[in-house]
Amino acid sequence: MCRNITTLRGLEPAANDTEVEAAARQYVRKVSGITHPTDRTRDAFERAVAEIAHITQHLLDDLPDRKQPPKTVPPLRRPEVRERIAARGAAAS
C-alpha cells in the first residue's frame, strides 16, 4: 500500500515503540490523505495513530518469529536518518 511503511516483524532487536508509531503514522497519512493535521483533524488523526500503533504491537507480539530478517534496514535505524533526527532535536532546543 505505502512504500514508506517499514516491515517491522523480525527485526533484531525487535521493533521499538518509535518504529511502531512511525509505521502507524505513515499508514494513517496514506489512508486519510492528511500529511499535516490541522486543528480540526488533529484529534482524530492522533487517536487513529495511537490505536493502529497499539494493534500493530499486538500483531507483532502474537506472530511467530520470522525465519529471515527483513532485507532492508528500517529508516529509523539508518545512521543518516538518526543524524537528521538528532539535528532537528538540537535545533528545537
Side-chain angles (χ1 to χ4, degrees):
M1 171 185 255
C2 182
R3 287 178 276 165
N4 293 333
I5 298 175
T6 303
T7 300
L8 299 177
R9 182 173 167 228
L11 296 178
E12 289 297 331
N16 61 37
D17 292 343
T18 302
E19 291 167 320
V20 171
E21 191 267 339
R25 186 166 299 280
Q26 285 298 91
Y27 175 80
V28 173
R29 284 179 178 156
K30 184 68 171 184
V31 300
S32 70
I34 298 171
T35 54
H36 301 289
T38 63
D39 289 341
R40 254 179 89 200
T41 60
R42 185 167 286 107
D43 287 344
F45 185 90
E46 294 300 331
R47 188 171 48 254
V49 169
E51 289 177 13
I52 291 169
H54 179 79
I55 291 166
T56 299
Q57 190 60 63
H58 281 292
L59 174 64
L60 293 173
D61 291 344
D62 292 346
L63 290 172
D65 292 338
R66 279 181 74 149
K67 293 181 182 177
Q68 295 180 339
K71 293 182 189 320
T72 59
V73 175
L76 293 179
R77 294 185 182 200
R78 296 179 189 154
E80 65 275 11
V81 174
R82 304 290 305 159
E83 289 170 11
R84 272 200 320 261
I85 291 170
R88 229 181 300 150
S93 297

